[in-house]
Amino acid sequence: METSTVVVSVFLFSIIALVFMPIMTWVERKQSALMQDRIGANRAEIFGIRAIGLIHPVTDAIKMFTKEDVIPTGANRFLHAICPFIAVVPAIVSFAVIPYGGSYTAWGSSWSLVVADLDYGVLYIFAIGSIAAYGSILAGWAGNNNWGMLGSIRVAAQMLSYEVSMGISVVGLFMIYGTLRLTDIGVAQQETFRLLGFVEHFGWATAGTAWVDFIKIPLWGAILQPLPMFIFLAAILAENKRPPFDTPEGESEIVAGYFIEYSGMKFGLFTAGELVEVVVISALMAALFLGGWSIPYLPETAIIGGLSELFGPNLANVLAMIIAVHVFFAKVLALIFFQMLIRWSLPRFRYDQVMNLGWKILLPLSIANIVVTGFVILLVAEITG
Amino acid sequence: MEQILFYVFSGLAILSAIGLLVNVRNTVNAALSLVVCMLSLAVLFIMLHAEFVGVLQVMVYAGAIVVLFLFVVMLLNLRGGNMGAESQPVLKLVGGAVAVGATVKLATLLDRPLKPWADIDPEFGTVAHIGRVFYTDYMLAFQVAGVLLLAGIVAAVILAKREID
């Protein structure tokens, strides 16, 4: 890619991340209201325009920026100042490897709907996410507060524990698709799999029989790896430290945990980081398990081919790109809704329950999944030859 | 561009390594210097087209092992001062001699005309390539490393269990 293209795409995609930040606070308030049979935030207004509560993020921002920024006595001033940024920046840069669509060629130039198409795409997100842990861990320590300290210890233990099962649970996917590149995984998920293909192997039907081809399933991660999908979701929710995994914050036990000594926009950055991470989690889940930008039974080549007959190849590519982005974001929005459902339904786990779930349930299951997946891959290779 | 990045990050790596030594008494600062050092090394790895190694450096060393250090430091609440670096003249002397010897040896090794960079295979350093090499050419070393890690885990469990019993 040329430098100018890189700059433009980085700019565009970071705007997407930043636009999500205030809107997510609105989504969270409105959805909690919906679930608790309330109307939700709708009081803030500009000249009588309430815009169904969409003014609230603006008032939040004004409040955050104008509040006094308290730095406690005995705090490590440097660490206290940079920790909110260490917590929020990794969440934003994670968007770099998320593919919003495939690559499209129109009028001689080609566009790829991903900022950095890395060979180790998923690992990049894990690596960046592990850096985010420092923001939370050091925040509690830097404030010179014992509650904060307890919060940091909980963050450190929780994030380390769940990083392991998060990484291992998706290994099965890598084995099936044979790549860690998120765009390749997206392309692979457009294919379908003949569920009854094995009957030809045993000679129960001749190749090409219609009823054998009748049942085809899309090669989505959710269908091939249903258990790891839930393990991954649980682990990555625990990484994000939102309810029900919010023991590091634990208002009722340790006041506010690791960000107890923060006020104003520095406090706001921690919340913003968590909310952006909700979007990152949804995008990653959609890209890995829910087929990315693909529509089941409708591969992208078919879409472009069909549209080309109507509008010509250039316009068809542009339209396919628009469809892809919409499909992807529809999945992302559904997953955000699902995460908010979890957040407002389940009570907080006790701390020992969090540790038990991570080490004694999720980790053994995800390791067993690797063995079973490997066995099935060999079996399928044996049958289909 | 690449040269500037190289000098910036190698300088950062060396400075943070020195910071690690200077901060013996302030454990959290020392651990943070170690993180900066690891991250700079990761950037250098990535610039050498060893992207996978670089990412693992961030994930495993910066993201897990040093977090564990910090966890222990916080659990024991080592707020500086009580972390002993007692004066041990013999060890200091030996350590200094080894450091000077290694530097001299390295300098003599590097003091020769450098070959231009060889063209590398575009496959080089990718996850697939490293996996293939691990499971074919270096199978034995890979397995031995696995057994070594298993031994470490078993040892840790035994040590922890003795304390509980």
Short mmCIF file of all heavy atoms in Angstrom, two decimals, chain A residues 41-76:
data_model
loop_
_atom_site.label_atom_id
_atom_site.label_comp_id
_atom_site.label_asym_id
_atom_site.label_seq_id
_atom_site.Cartn_x
_atom_site.Cartn_y
_atom_site.Cartn_z
N ALA A 41 -32.27 7.46 29.79
CA ALA A 41 -31.77 8.84 29.76
C ALA A 41 -32.45 9.62 28.66
O ALA A 41 -32.35 9.26 27.49
CB ALA A 41 -30.27 8.81 29.54
N ASN A 42 -33.20 10.68 29.01
CA ASN A 42 -33.80 11.52 27.98
C ASN A 42 -33.99 12.96 28.46
O ASN A 42 -34.76 13.72 27.90
CB ASN A 42 -35.16 10.95 27.53
CG ASN A 42 -36.19 11.02 28.64
OD1 ASN A 42 -35.85 11.28 29.79
ND2 ASN A 42 -37.43 10.78 28.30
N ARG A 43 -33.29 13.36 29.54
CA ARG A 43 -33.52 14.69 30.10
C ARG A 43 -32.68 15.78 29.45
O ARG A 43 -33.10 16.91 29.35
CB ARG A 43 -33.24 14.67 31.61
CG ARG A 43 -34.21 13.85 32.43
CD ARG A 43 -35.58 14.51 32.48
NE ARG A 43 -36.54 13.72 31.73
CZ ARG A 43 -37.81 14.06 31.59
NH1 ARG A 43 -38.26 15.18 32.13
NH2 ARG A 43 -38.63 13.31 30.90
N ALA A 44 -31.46 15.43 29.05
CA ALA A 44 -30.58 16.47 28.49
C ALA A 44 -31.16 17.01 27.19
O ALA A 44 -31.68 16.25 26.38
CB ALA A 44 -29.19 15.89 28.24
N GLU A 45 -31.08 18.33 27.01
CA GLU A 45 -31.66 18.88 25.79
C GLU A 45 -30.88 20.11 25.34
O GLU A 45 -30.26 20.81 26.14
CB GLU A 45 -33.12 19.25 26.01
CG GLU A 45 -33.32 20.24 27.15
CD GLU A 45 -34.75 20.72 27.23
OE1 GLU A 45 -35.64 19.88 27.10
OE2 GLU A 45 -34.97 21.93 27.42
N ILE A 46 -30.90 20.33 24.04
CA ILE A 46 -30.34 21.56 23.48
C ILE A 46 -31.48 22.25 22.76
O ILE A 46 -32.02 21.71 21.79
CB ILE A 46 -29.18 21.27 22.51
CG1 ILE A 46 -28.04 20.57 23.24
CG2 ILE A 46 -28.67 22.56 21.89
CD1 ILE A 46 -26.92 20.15 22.33
N PHE A 47 -31.90 23.42 23.23
CA PHE A 47 -33.03 24.18 22.67
C PHE A 47 -34.27 23.29 22.50
O PHE A 47 -34.93 23.30 21.47
CB PHE A 47 -32.66 24.80 21.31
CG PHE A 47 -31.44 25.65 21.38
CD1 PHE A 47 -30.36 25.41 20.55
CD2 PHE A 47 -31.36 26.71 22.30
CE1 PHE A 47 -29.22 26.19 20.62
CE2 PHE A 47 -30.23 27.49 22.36
CZ PHE A 47 -29.15 27.22 21.53
N GLY A 48 -34.54 22.48 23.51
CA GLY A 48 -35.73 21.65 23.47
C GLY A 48 -35.62 20.38 22.64
O GLY A 48 -36.54 19.59 22.58
N ILE A 49 -34.45 20.18 22.00
CA ILE A 49 -34.28 18.96 21.22
C ILE A 49 -33.65 17.91 22.11
O ILE A 49 -32.55 18.10 22.64
CB ILE A 49 -33.39 19.21 19.98
CG1 ILE A 49 -34.04 20.26 19.09
CG2 ILE A 49 -33.18 17.92 19.21
CD1 ILE A 49 -33.09 20.82 18.06
N ARG A 50 -34.33 16.80 22.29
CA ARG A 50 -33.80 15.77 23.19
C ARG A 50 -33.18 14.61 22.41
O ARG A 50 -32.35 13.91 22.95
CB ARG A 50 -34.91 15.26 24.10
CG ARG A 50 -35.26 16.30 25.15
CD ARG A 50 -36.31 15.78 26.08
NE ARG A 50 -36.49 16.73 27.17
CZ ARG A 50 -37.54 16.73 27.97
NH1 ARG A 50 -38.48 15.84 27.81
NH2 ARG A 50 -37.63 17.60 28.94
N ALA A 51 -33.58 14.42 21.18
CA ALA A 51 -33.00 13.41 20.29
C ALA A 51 -32.86 12.06 21.00
O ALA A 51 -31.77 11.49 21.08
CB ALA A 51 -31.65 13.88 19.74
N ILE A 52 -33.97 11.57 21.57
CA ILE A 52 -34.04 10.30 22.30
C ILE A 52 -32.80 10.03 23.16
O ILE A 52 -32.27 8.92 23.21
CB ILE A 52 -34.33 9.09 21.37
CG1 ILE A 52 -33.34 9.07 20.19
CG2 ILE A 52 -35.76 9.09 20.91
CD1 ILE A 52 -33.41 7.77 19.39
N GLY A 53 -32.34 11.05 23.84
CA GLY A 53 -31.25 10.84 24.80
C GLY A 53 -29.87 10.93 24.20
O GLY A 53 -28.87 10.75 24.90
N LEU A 54 -29.77 11.20 22.90
CA LEU A 54 -28.44 11.24 22.26
C LEU A 54 -27.64 12.47 22.69
O LEU A 54 -26.45 12.57 22.37
CB LEU A 54 -28.59 11.22 20.74
CG LEU A 54 -28.70 9.83 20.15
CD1 LEU A 54 -29.06 9.90 18.69
CD2 LEU A 54 -27.39 9.09 20.31
N ILE A 55 -28.27 13.43 23.40
CA ILE A 55 -27.52 14.60 23.87
C ILE A 55 -26.68 14.22 25.10
O ILE A 55 -25.70 14.88 25.40
CB ILE A 55 -28.50 15.74 24.23
CG1 ILE A 55 -29.47 16.00 23.08
CG2 ILE A 55 -27.76 17.03 24.54
CD1 ILE A 55 -28.88 16.58 21.85
N HIS A 56 -27.10 13.16 25.80
CA HIS A 56 -26.39 12.79 27.03
C HIS A 56 -24.89 12.57 26.87
O HIS A 56 -24.13 13.03 27.73
CB HIS A 56 -27.07 11.58 27.66
CG HIS A 56 -28.23 11.95 28.52
ND1 HIS A 56 -28.12 12.13 29.88
CD2 HIS A 56 -29.51 12.23 28.20
CE1 HIS A 56 -29.29 12.49 30.35
NE2 HIS A 56 -30.16 12.55 29.36
N PRO A 57 -24.44 11.87 25.81
CA PRO A 57 -22.98 11.75 25.65
C PRO A 57 -22.27 13.10 25.60
O PRO A 57 -21.16 13.23 26.11
CB PRO A 57 -22.84 11.00 24.32
CG PRO A 57 -24.08 10.21 24.21
CD PRO A 57 -25.16 11.03 24.86
N VAL A 58 -22.92 14.11 25.00
CA VAL A 58 -22.31 15.43 24.91
C VAL A 58 -22.16 16.03 26.31
O VAL A 58 -21.09 16.52 26.69
CB VAL A 58 -23.16 16.36 24.03
CG1 VAL A 58 -22.49 17.72 23.92
CG2 VAL A 58 -23.38 15.75 22.66
N THR A 59 -23.25 15.94 27.11
CA THR A 59 -23.16 16.49 28.46
C THR A 59 -22.15 15.72 29.29
O THR A 59 -21.41 16.31 30.08
CB THR A 59 -24.54 16.42 29.15
OG1 THR A 59 -24.99 15.07 29.10
CG2 THR A 59 -25.53 17.30 28.47
N ASP A 60 -22.07 14.41 29.07
CA ASP A 60 -21.05 13.61 29.76
C ASP A 60 -19.66 14.16 29.48
O ASP A 60 -18.86 14.35 30.37
CB ASP A 60 -21.09 12.16 29.25
CG ASP A 60 -22.15 11.35 29.95
OD1 ASP A 60 -22.60 11.81 31.01
OD2 ASP A 60 -22.51 10.29 29.43
N ALA A 61 -19.41 14.39 28.18
CA ALA A 61 -18.07 14.85 27.78
C ALA A 61 -17.76 16.20 28.43
O ALA A 61 -16.67 16.41 28.97
CB ALA A 61 -17.99 14.96 26.26
N ILE A 62 -18.75 17.12 28.42
CA ILE A 62 -18.51 18.45 29.02
C ILE A 62 -18.21 18.29 30.51
O ILE A 62 -17.27 18.88 31.04
CB ILE A 62 -19.74 19.36 28.80
CG1 ILE A 62 -19.90 19.64 27.31
CG2 ILE A 62 -19.60 20.66 29.57
CD1 ILE A 62 -21.20 20.32 26.96
N LYS A 63 -19.00 17.45 31.17
CA LYS A 63 -18.79 17.23 32.60
C LYS A 63 -17.40 16.66 32.87
O LYS A 63 -16.66 17.16 33.72
CB LYS A 63 -19.86 16.26 33.10
CG LYS A 63 -19.72 15.89 34.56
CD LYS A 63 -20.60 14.70 34.88
CE LYS A 63 -20.08 13.97 36.09
NZ LYS A 63 -20.54 12.60 36.14
N MET A 64 -17.01 15.63 32.10
CA MET A 64 -15.72 14.97 32.31
C MET A 64 -14.57 15.96 32.15
O MET A 64 -13.63 15.97 32.92
CB MET A 64 -15.53 13.85 31.30
CG MET A 64 -16.50 12.71 31.45
SD MET A 64 -16.01 11.64 32.79
CE MET A 64 -17.13 10.29 32.54
N PHE A 65 -14.69 16.81 31.10
CA PHE A 65 -13.55 17.69 30.80
C PHE A 65 -13.45 18.84 31.79
O PHE A 65 -12.37 19.38 31.99
CB PHE A 65 -13.66 18.23 29.37
CG PHE A 65 -13.14 17.27 28.35
CD1 PHE A 65 -13.99 16.69 27.43
CD2 PHE A 65 -11.80 16.94 28.34
CE1 PHE A 65 -13.51 15.78 26.51
CE2 PHE A 65 -11.32 16.03 27.41
CZ PHE A 65 -12.18 15.46 26.50
N THR A 66 -14.59 19.24 32.39
CA THR A 66 -14.53 20.40 33.27
C THR A 66 -14.37 20.02 34.74
O THR A 66 -14.19 20.89 35.57
CB THR A 66 -15.79 21.26 33.12
OG1 THR A 66 -16.93 20.41 33.27
CG2 THR A 66 -15.84 21.92 31.78
N LYS A 67 -14.41 18.73 35.06
CA LYS A 67 -14.24 18.33 36.45
C LYS A 67 -12.81 18.54 36.90
O LYS A 67 -11.88 18.51 36.10
CB LYS A 67 -14.61 16.85 36.61
CG LYS A 67 -15.98 16.62 37.16
CD LYS A 67 -16.28 15.15 37.16
CE LYS A 67 -16.17 14.56 38.53
NZ LYS A 67 -16.66 13.17 38.56
N GLU A 68 -12.65 18.71 38.22
CA GLU A 68 -11.30 18.86 38.74
C GLU A 68 -10.55 17.53 38.62
O GLU A 68 -11.11 16.47 38.89
CB GLU A 68 -11.35 19.27 40.22
CG GLU A 68 -9.98 19.56 40.78
CD GLU A 68 -9.99 19.70 42.29
OE1 GLU A 68 -11.09 19.65 42.87
OE2 GLU A 68 -8.91 19.84 42.86
N ASP A 69 -9.31 17.62 38.19
CA ASP A 69 -8.50 16.42 38.05
C ASP A 69 -7.65 16.28 39.31
O ASP A 69 -6.67 16.98 39.49
CB ASP A 69 -7.62 16.55 36.80
CG ASP A 69 -6.72 15.35 36.65
OD1 ASP A 69 -7.13 14.26 37.08
OD2 ASP A 69 -5.62 15.51 36.09
N VAL A 70 -8.07 15.37 40.19
CA VAL A 70 -7.40 15.23 41.48
C VAL A 70 -6.27 14.21 41.36
O VAL A 70 -6.47 13.11 40.87
CB VAL A 70 -8.39 14.75 42.56
CG1 VAL A 70 -7.69 14.67 43.90
CG2 VAL A 70 -9.57 15.68 42.61
N ILE A 71 -5.07 14.63 41.79
CA ILE A 71 -3.97 13.68 41.89
C ILE A 71 -3.67 13.50 43.37
O ILE A 71 -3.29 14.46 44.04
CB ILE A 71 -2.73 14.17 41.14
CG1 ILE A 71 -3.06 14.33 39.66
CG2 ILE A 71 -1.58 13.20 41.32
CD1 ILE A 71 -1.97 14.97 38.87
N PRO A 72 -3.88 12.31 43.93
CA PRO A 72 -3.75 12.14 45.37
C PRO A 72 -2.31 12.31 45.85
O PRO A 72 -1.36 12.12 45.09
CB PRO A 72 -4.23 10.70 45.60
CG PRO A 72 -4.12 10.05 44.29
CD PRO A 72 -4.30 11.07 43.26
N THR A 73 -2.18 12.69 47.13
CA THR A 73 -0.86 12.82 47.73
C THR A 73 -0.20 11.45 47.76
O THR A 73 -0.85 10.45 48.03
CB THR A 73 -0.98 13.33 49.18
OG1 THR A 73 -2.08 14.21 49.23
CG2 THR A 73 0.28 14.00 49.63
N GLY A 74 1.09 11.43 47.50
CA GLY A 74 1.81 10.17 47.55
C GLY A 74 1.64 9.33 46.31
O GLY A 74 2.14 8.21 46.22
N ALA A 75 0.92 9.85 45.30
CA ALA A 75 0.77 9.10 44.06
C ALA A 75 2.03 9.23 43.22
O ALA A 75 2.76 10.21 43.33
CB ALA A 75 -0.43 9.62 43.28
N ASN A 76 2.25 8.23 42.38
CA ASN A 76 3.31 8.33 41.39
C ASN A 76 2.74 9.14 40.22
O ASN A 76 1.94 8.65 39.44
CB ASN A 76 3.70 6.93 40.94
CG ASN A 76 4.86 6.92 39.98
OD1 ASN A 76 5.01 7.84 39.19
ND2 ASN A 76 5.67 5.89 40.05
#
